[in-house]
Amino acid sequence: MKRLLSSATIVLALGLVLNAFSQAAGAPAAVPDKTNIVHHPPFQDIPKMLADRGRQQIEAAKRFGAFQDFRFTDRAAESKITFEQSSVEDSLKWWKGVHYDHGSGVAVADVDGDGRLDICFVNQLGPNQLWRNLGKGQFEDITARAGVAQEGRIHVAASFADIDNDGDPDLFVTTVRGGNVLFENLGGGRFRDIAEPAGLGYVGHSSGSVFFDFDRDGLLDLFLTNVGVYTTDQKKRGGFYASVTNAFGGHMYPERTEFSLLYRNLGNRKFRDVSGEIGLRDGSWSGDASFTDLNGDGFSDLYVLNMQGDNHFYENVAGKRFADKTASHFPKTPWGAMGIKFFDFNRDGLFDLFITDMHSDMAETQSREGRTNMRSTFEKAKSDPWCTTYFDAAFLQGASNNVFGNALYLNKGGGAFEEVSGKVGAETYWPWGLSVGDLNADGYEDAFITAGMGYPFRYGINSVLLNERGRQFFDAEFVVGVEPRTGGRFDKPMFSLDVATEDAAHELALLYGPKVLVYGALSSRSSAIFDLDDDGDLDIVTNEMNDRPMVLVSNLSERRPIHFLKMKLIGTVSNRDGLGATVKVKAGETTLTQFNDGKSGYLAQSVIPLYFGLGEIEAASSVEIRWPSGRTQIISDAIPRNGLLTVREPRE
């Protein structure tokens, strides 16, 4: 394990050598009475690499027919959103290979019932913020009025869900050893913390949370993922617990296992842990999960990611127990899984599965190519875990049943899946979560993938994968303006050092002191795709690592006539959000299928309308909904053109 623990030191040492070289080549030398600016790692080649890659991508995209003549523009300033994620020092100044660097989620819902979608930004070190949508792309901070800031805790993920079926979304926020929080929505966008009486105040290393009705009683239950023990009992500045020195190897120590939990909703805002009696005992180092009804029996099954080992697929047996059916459906799973989404990639009516793999790429960071190579020929390839001594056989704990990179499983029917990520261009580098939505409204769902490691690593690009008629994805982040970032941003000041303080022990302070301002690479963690400004096309909002969010507003509706249908589900016998419903929209000869799971991005679950791009068809002719209760509802009239269809589940 000593080799594993030294990885951060090696990365830092390389940066020191390169910085020293850049100064020798003409960069300003250290002046004792001034603050020295250090870019770590050096940034000189990044603009050229981004420009070269952009030109290559734009040229390559001409081969594809999917509509791409539209742009995203970062409207963060115009939105009035001033939130900025703050990271703990173990992810910045005193960087360690620890799970704090997984960042924070962003979740979306109409919290006050005004018909506009509001945004909750989760913070790591500092208060969460809730921003109310005023329309036309403008927002106001209602955190204080809402009562959801929760200062003094290290937050991770957020899930909106109507846990009491009263018509407004409640909010669940996970923390690292601060106690998880359940905010009951009191109406009008005001909340109160009811975690303790509700039975959801678990204290541990929690991460993603997923609401779904596993027993079909009309109440949303909760699956909570817990990573594993990666901290000590020592508290550091800001109130976070210092990480263990070998956190990234924690899966090798059984005593550090922290089991994920399944809570049954008992009604009256009460939950009970039923993991043991249901037979769901998952000790993966898990950051997130999702659900679908894979076998069509009406009961939602659960897929649990493992960021350091094998994933697990649990089949729901009539709401009474869960059976591990991973081997029969997914014999090889990504080793370092981080993000997940079930969706119909090729429009055949079956739900495919896309999983992003971040931790396998961490092997590549130890190689010279991983530290410097931004070419797509490198980043679109699977990782080689044996390229470094840090990932040895003991660390991998068996690799014959793993994929070392992203996975896209095509659903072949009958419970059979084919892993096709390489064939369809689904590989990306340093990916976190993915959000899926029809970005060009052509009837095929696309993907946005947040990426990058931030300080002390080089810049990593976010990815836009446009869907070429269900045959493959093609890279389009430079084509549609997501990369490069507005103003050419790729790094920013991350922290300062002063040798007159405890910073004197820092390598960069020793080399460049007495005062140093350290720049590090920008990187994204979570994202949500939704129509932010209600103009009919889909926009993207991110939560960054130690930076402000990007508010990426699309101009698609200005570039071409688009046809779409939004759909809001209101359960009556089923849960109020209709989570777990399967919706089929008929438009011409085409049928579009979506599963209502609320998953958009890493570490988040949202309550947002389903969005169906209709391509060249002007309007949908019918809608079929299979509700979680088992009822099927068909609608063939009063379906709006380019509007929102609100559907209430019939009681009979």
Side-chain angles (χ1 to χ4, degrees):
M1 286 304 298
K2 289 183 179 178
R3 292 175 298 171
L4 232 177
L5 303 181
S6 64
S7 60
T9 303
I10 288 177
V11 171
L12 189 58
L14 176 74
L16 292 173
V17 170
L18 292 174
N19 267 302
F21 175 82
S22 70
Q23 289 211 0
V31 179
D33 59 347
K34 292 184 178 180
T35 296
N36 294 291
I37 295 176
V38 174
H39 294 265
H40 186 76
F43 70 92
Q44 290 92 330
D45 294 333
I46 299 296
K48 182 180 184 302
M49 286 191 288
L50 289 172
D52 290 345
R53 186 156 174 180
R55 283 191 293 269
Q56 294 164 6
Q57 185 179 105
I58 290 168
E59 185 62 31
K62 294 177 181 177
R63 298 186 290 111
F64 300 99
F67 186 77
Q68 52 193 272
D69 186 19
F70 67 104
R71 303 278 292 181
F72 289 95
T73 302
D74 188 356
R75 303 287 188 193
E78 295 92 327
S79 75
K80 308 299 184 185
I81 293 172
T82 58
F83 172 77
E84 185 166 325
Q85 197 264 13
S86 298
S87 305
V88 302
E89 287 190 341
D90 277 8
S91 292
L92 282 173
K93 180 187 293 187
W94 304 106
W95 187 89
K96 300 176 182 177
V98 64
H99 303 79
Y100 282 126
D101 67 12
H102 292 193
S104 315
V106 56
V108 175
D110 177 7
V111 302
D112 55 2
D114 66 356
R116 292 187 289 264
L117 295 169
D118 312 301
I119 308 173
C120 176
F121 292 100
V122 183
N123 209 345
Q124 188 173 78
L125 186 65
N128 303 318
Q129 290 186 13
L130 181 60
W131 286 80
R132 179 172 177 258
N133 191 334
L134 301 175
K136 299 182 179 179
Q138 303 261 308
F139 291 80
E140 68 168 333
D141 184 357
I142 62 168
T143 308
R145 184 169 82 233
V148 297
Q150 287 292 312
E151 292 193 64
R153 306 192 199 199
I154 307 302
H155 311 100
V156 185
S159 292
F160 277 115
D162 190 350
I163 59 113
D164 49 9
N165 291 333
D166 66 351
D168 49 31
D170 309 295
L171 175 63
F172 183 71
V173 179
T174 65
T175 77
V176 181
R177 297 181 66 176
N180 298 328
V181 186
L182 176 63
F183 292 106
E184 179 193 3
N185 192 329
L186 303 176
R190 290 176 168 81
F191 296 80
R192 65 170 178 169
D193 179 5
I194 61 167
E196 290 305 321
L200 295 180
Y202 175 83
V203 178
H205 299 79
S206 296
S207 187
S209 53
V210 180
F211 285 94
F212 72 122
D213 183 5
F214 81 86
D215 53 5
R216 284 178 51 175
D217 64 353
L219 297 171
L220 286 173
D221 311 299
L222 173 64
F223 183 73
L224 169 69
T225 65
N226 292 312
V227 176
V229 178
Y230 58 82
T231 64
T232 70
D233 290 332
Q234 178 191 4
K235 274 206 169 183
K236 303 291 287 292
R237 182 167 50 199
F240 75 96
Y241 288 92
S243 58
V244 298
T245 54
N246 56 351
F248 193 45
H251 62 290
M252 301 175 67
Y253 300 88
E255 66 272 16
R256 296 187 191 174
T257 300
E258 194 170 324
F259 289 94
S260 296
L261 302 173
L262 177 65
Y263 294 97
R264 172 178 275 136
N265 190 333
L266 306 176
N268 296 316
R269 305 175 192 87
K270 304 287 186 184
F271 290 78
R272 181 167 61 88
D273 176 10
V274 296
S275 309
E277 63 192 74
I278 292 295
L280 187 59
R281 190 75 168 156
D282 192 288
S284 305
W285 280 63
S286 180
D288 218 336
S290 193
F291 67 102
T292 195
D293 181 7
L294 183 58
N295 58 6
D297 66 353
F299 290 91
S300 290
D301 312 304
L302 188 66
Y303 194 107
V304 182
L305 300 179
N306 188 352
M307 62 182 74
Q308 291 168 223
D310 301 339
N311 302 332
H312 292 280
F313 174 73
Y314 297 101
E315 186 175 273
N316 187 338
V317 183
K320 300 183 184 303
R321 63 184 180 87
F322 283 86
D324 191 335
K325 294 295 183 71
T326 314
S328 58
H329 297 298
F330 307 100
K332 286 193 174 185
T333 68
W335 186 88
M338 206 62 64
I340 180 171
K341 180 66 178 181
F342 285 98
F343 73 112
D344 185 3
F345 166 72
N346 56 359
R347 228 165 65 175
D348 63 356
L350 301 173
F351 293 120
D352 311 300
L353 175 60
F354 195 172
I355 296 173
T356 57
D357 181 332
M358 169 66 194
H359 276 179
S360 288
D361 288 339
M362 292 304 292
E364 297 282 4
T365 66
Q366 312 306 326
S367 69
R368 182 181 181 278
E369 273 205 308
R371 290 190 291 264
T372 61
N373 192 343
M374 289 187 70
R375 292 191 297 272
S376 58
T377 51
F378 171 77
E379 295 188 349
K380 296 291 287 186
K382 289 285 185 281
S383 293
D384 177 9
W386 308 107
C387 72
T388 171
T389 57
Y390 301 106
F391 279 35
D392 57 18
F395 184 76
L396 293 172
Q397 296 184 331
S400 61
N401 61 334
N402 291 122
V403 177
F404 290 94
N406 297 349
L408 179 60
Y409 298 98
L410 277 188
N411 192 332
K412 311 299 286 187
F417 287 82
E418 178 188 2
E419 203 288 291
V420 296
S421 59
K423 296 179 185 177
V424 304
E427 190 59 54
T428 60
Y429 194 60
W430 284 344
W432 297 98
L434 76 156
S435 296
V436 169
D438 191 351
L439 298 177
N440 54 9
D442 67 351
Y444 291 91
E445 293 192 279
D446 313 297
F448 174 77
I449 302 177
T450 56
M453 275 298 297
Y455 176 85
F457 300 90
R458 68 160 171 87
Y459 182 72
I461 63 170
N462 292 317
S463 294
V464 174
L465 304 180
L466 290 183
N467 189 330
E468 178 73 358
R469 301 188 64 80
R471 293 191 289 266
Q472 69 177 97
F473 285 121
F474 66 93
D475 300 310
E477 56 274 359
F478 290 92
V479 177
V480 299
V482 167
E483 294 286 352
R485 296 179 183 229
T486 296
R489 301 175 76 234
F490 55 85
D491 71 353
K492 62 166 285 189
M494 291 293 176
F495 57 88
S496 59
L497 300 169
D498 187 341
V499 297
T501 69
E502 69 273 12
D503 298 343
H506 199 288
E507 291 95 332
L508 293 178
L510 290 171
L511 187 61
Y512 295 109
K515 294 185 178 181
V516 185
L517 180 63
V518 181
Y519 279 65
L522 300 175
S523 59
S524 304
R525 290 298 181 272
S526 185
S527 63
I529 292 180
F530 64 106
D531 187 358
L532 178 147
D533 50 3
D534 203 28
D535 65 350
D537 54 35
L538 292 175
D539 311 298
I540 303 169
V541 174
T542 69
N543 200 354
E544 303 289 301
M545 194 70 173
N546 207 52
D547 193 32
R548 65 163 178 82
M550 289 190 290
V551 181
L552 298 168
V553 177
S554 172
N555 71 348
L556 176 70
S557 61
E558 302 168 16
R559 300 297 298 164
R560 68 179 301 194
I562 60 173
H563 311 292
F564 65 90
L565 176 66
K566 298 177 186 177
M567 193 173 308
K568 177 182 178 181
L569 304 180
I570 300 178
T572 55
V573 181
S574 304
N575 66 86
R576 178 75 180 226
D577 294 330
L579 289 174
T582 298
V583 179
K584 294 181 178 291
V585 171
K586 187 72 179 296
E589 298 302 313
T590 300
T591 300
L592 307 175
T593 308
Q594 291 190 28
F595 185 73
N596 186 29
D597 58 7
K599 288 295 292 178
S600 188
Y602 181 50
L603 302 174
Q605 188 176 27
S606 298
V607 179
I608 51 181
L610 298 176
Y611 179 95
F612 296 85
L614 303 181
E616 300 303 319
I617 307 300
E618 292 187 357
S621 56
S622 67
V623 173
E624 178 183 311
I625 304 168
R626 183 183 180 189
W627 292 92
S629 64
R631 289 169 166 79
T632 298
Q633 182 178 5
I634 298 176
I635 300 167
S636 56
D637 56 5
I639 300 174
R641 293 189 178 194
N642 295 348
L644 174 68
L645 175 64
T646 299
V647 182
R648 185 178 294 271
E649 179 186 18
R651 289 191 173 273
E652 299 297 334

